[in-house]
Amino acid sequence: MRILILGGDGYLGWPTAMHLSALNHEVTVVDNYLRRRLSFEENVEALTPAPNLLERIRLWQEKRGLTIKPYIGDLSDWSFIANVFDETEPEVVIHYAEQPSAPYSMLNRAAASLTLNNNLNVTANVIYAVREFCPQAHIIKLGTMGEYGTPNIDIEEGWLDIKHKGRSDKLLFPRQAGSLYHTTKIMDTDLLWFYVRTWGLRVTDLMQGPVYGIFTEESRGHEELLPFFNYDELFGTVLNRFIAQAVAGYPLTVYGGGGQTRGYLNIQDTVNCVRLSLENPANLGELRIFNQFTETFTVNELAEKVKTVGKNLGLNVKVKRIKNPRKEKESHYYNPAHTGLLDLGLQPNYLTDKALEEMLSHVEKHKNNIHEHKIFRNTKWD
Ligand SMILES: NC(=O)c1ccc[n+]([C@@H]2O[C@H](COP(=O)([O-])OP(=O)(O)OC[C@H]3O[C@@H](n4cnc5c(N)ncnc54)[C@H](O)[C@@H]3O)[C@@H](O)[C@H]2O)c1
């Protein structure tokens, strides 16, 4: 298939590009290095430097003899994205290209504005480009479990059957985000749903939980093909941060009571979920939603796991509860459905001690690159 990966230089985009290329799909990646630029500007670069996208592609070609086609440019610029779609005529569009950090979106007005403009304009441009150049194409969009928030009822996969005053309907599950970034993801979903109803687009919206890990089948053993591993508060996801904190001897930063529960998944499962969605497309005129995670943990449980496995590796891991810089419930009901991707054949890679050991050992090798002052900067929601 001709597959266009938007945000193909990112933490998830690059492993996805390699995986689909390894399966002999015709893969094109697009990126404007926004993630790299923001990390640089905020002085929170990844644990190890990653070669730029063109160099990554060259290394991939050298190792596997496979070609990935790159475009470098800003997808919120219509003339650029129109040219990309016109030239590639994709059958599948995987849309990762957003500003993905909740704390970054809460930094200040400029960061909020960048997040809002970038995320919504890219999504709107993707919708228009699909309509104009490839109306049959399947859009696979990365949403987030954070769109639902933490309601006091079970979370369904996207849709809720509602009975109200004797009548019933199936409506999008109520959403209530916990950051501006998550709010942009809700707005993305609303945009997609509007144009699915209006123009009959074919869309899968993957409500993904926080991803952890670094290795996927294609990069294991090839350090230069690994994705970014951020350990800072802005761009590092919670488990990745705890791993680096454990290695650095920095007390694990549990926010508040630590009872915040979320659905997590290994980066290998992200790649597999996207592939399964692509192999089993949504119908034209359908907004299909899957909840993309494999198991739920409280923050305290994650910290305890890292502490236990770290101890076995000889690390002296301490856990510190700090005042929560975010506004969120620290103890709450959480029971989200997640059967859709399992029904498509997902075989989860769970968070085993072995998986934790592999991550800790990898980060340990690069311990000298961890700068303590970059770990926590206390970005407040106030
Ligand atoms: N990483 C997670 O834990 C997680 C969890 C849930 C959802 N998501 C979603 O998955 C997607 C990918 O996340 P990620 O962690 O790989 O983030 P990332 O920042 O590493 O990847 C996004 C990529 O898109 C690029 N990009 C952004 N705006 C662009 C633009 N205007 N033009 C061209 N390229 C642009 C960035 O430079 C970056 O390389 C995001 O939409 C994010 O919201 C991620």
Side-chain angles (χ1 to χ4, degrees), residues 6-13 30-36 73-76 95-100 118 122 141-144 181 185 208-211 228 237:
L6 311 178
D9 185 52
Y11 173 52
L12 306 177
V30 191
D31 212 290
N32 67 345
Y33 296 133
L34 178 71
R35 162 71 175 253
R36 293 179 189 246
D74 184 352
L75 291 157
S76 66
H95 173 15
Y96 287 118
E98 305 223 333
Q99 189 300 98
N118 186 69
V122 172
K141 162 76 177 39
L142 267 288
T144 155
Y181 152 70
K185 307 297 275 190
Q208 181 172 245
V211 181
F228 310 123
T237 48

Side-chain angles (χ1 to χ4, degrees), residues 155-371:
I155 296 172
E156 304 304 327
E157 291 204 78
W159 301 95
L160 185 63
D161 291 316
I162 297 183
K163 278 205 178 108
H164 181 63
K165 296 187 176 171
R167 304 184 67 80
S168 59
D169 206 344
K170 188 179 196 128
L171 300 170
L172 277 175
F173 193 93
R175 279 100 24 93
Q176 40 187 1
S179 76
L180 175 72
Y181 152 70
H182 290 101
T183 303
T184 65
K185 307 297 275 190
I186 292 177
M187 295 174 182
D188 279 344
T189 300
D190 283 335
L191 278 178
L192 290 164
W193 177 216
F194 173 69
Y195 286 108
V196 162
R197 297 196 310 274
T198 309
W199 291 344
L201 302 183
R202 183 200 302 275
V203 179
T204 299
D205 201 345
L206 297 170
M207 301 298 164
Q208 181 172 245
V211 181
Y212 60 82
I214 184 157
F215 302 105
T216 53
E217 278 162 44
E218 290 72 27
S219 62
R220 201 169 254 103
H222 303 289
E223 189 97 354
E224 63 286 16
L225 292 179
L226 292 176
F228 310 123
F229 185 94
N230 276 78
Y231 60 90
D232 60 277
E233 173 198 328
L234 290 182
F235 292 104
T237 48
V238 57
L239 184 59
N240 289 358
R241 282 188 273 131
F242 282 178
I243 297 280
Q245 291 170 1
V247 169
Y250 190 100
L252 309 194
T253 50
V254 170
Y255 295 170
Q260 302 90 320
T261 311
R262 303 288 184 266
Y264 293 87
L265 75 164
N266 189 300
I267 190 167
Q268 179 68 62
D269 287 337
T270 294
V271 166
N272 291 345
C273 288
V274 168
R275 176 180 45 76
L276 286 166
S277 303
L278 172 156
E279 290 169 352
N280 302 276
N283 296 316
L284 282 170
E286 181 189 11
L287 171 63
R288 180 178 62 166
I289 299 178
F290 293 132
N291 292 344
Q292 182 165 310
F293 67 92
T294 59
E295 45 194 339
T296 58
F297 298 108
T298 64
V299 176
N300 284 330
E301 284 168 341
L302 287 182
E304 277 312 309
K305 275 178 178 290
V306 173
K307 188 174 171 180
T308 308
V309 176
K311 204 171 160 199
N312 295 342
L313 295 178
L315 296 169
N316 179 18
V317 183
K318 297 213 162 43
V319 177
K320 189 174 173 193
R321 297 222 157 73
I322 56 176
K323 191 169 180 299
N324 195 342
R326 303 181 176 206
K327 288 214 168 129
E328 61 185 359
K329 289 181 202 154
E330 292 171 10
S331 164
H332 56 90
Y333 180 76
Y334 200 63
N335 188 28
H338 60 120
T339 52
L341 287 157
L342 295 170
D343 289 346
L344 292 186
L346 178 68
Q347 296 188 328
N349 289 276
Y350 292 116
L351 183 58
T352 56
D353 288 0
K354 192 163 163 269
L356 282 165
E357 271 171 34
E358 190 183 30
M359 283 190 269
L360 283 162
S361 308
H362 171 74
V363 174
E364 180 93 54
K365 274 201 284 175
H366 302 283
K367 186 178 172 178
N368 291 343
N369 292 352
I370 302 176
H371 301 287

